Amino acid sequence: EKCTFCFQRILAAETKAQAEKRELRDGEFSPACVQSCPTGAMVFGDLDDPKSEVSRLSRSGRGTTLL
C-alpha cells in the first residue's frame, strides 16, 4: 500500500488548530510509524520551517530524507 503519512491525523490536527484559531505547531501530530518508533529514529515535520525539529536534524548531515 502507498503511504499517506496518516493523512487523517494531519487533517484532525489542522482542524483542531483552526477551531482554536491558531497555527499548527511543530510536533503536534505524527504519523503512526513515527509514533511507534521506540528509538525516536524517525521524525516527521515541515522542512520549510527552519525552527522545526525535522529541519534542524536535516541540516546535521547525519540523517536520511524520505520523500
Side-chain angles (χ1 to χ4, degrees):
E1 269 186 60
K2 185 176 178 182
C3 177
T4 62
F5 294 112
C6 294
F7 182 73
Q8 70 279 8
R9 291 180 179 213
I10 297 169
L11 187 58
E14 287 176 341
T15 302
K16 182 179 177 184
Q18 286 176 351
E20 295 174 359
K21 297 182 182 358
R22 60 175 177 78
E23 293 289 321
L24 193 59
R25 290 178 229 135
D26 182 44
E28 192 167 348
F29 68 92
S30 61
C33 59
V34 174
Q35 185 178 357
S36 65
C37 181
T39 62
M42 296 173 67
V43 181
F44 182 83
D46 184 2
L47 283 172
D48 293 330
D49 179 3
K51 295 179 183 177
S52 72
E53 180 183 9
V54 72
S55 180
R56 181 183 57 79
L57 291 170
S58 72
R59 289 190 300 266
S60 75
R62 297 184 69 203
T64 302
T65 304
L66 300 175
L67 300 176

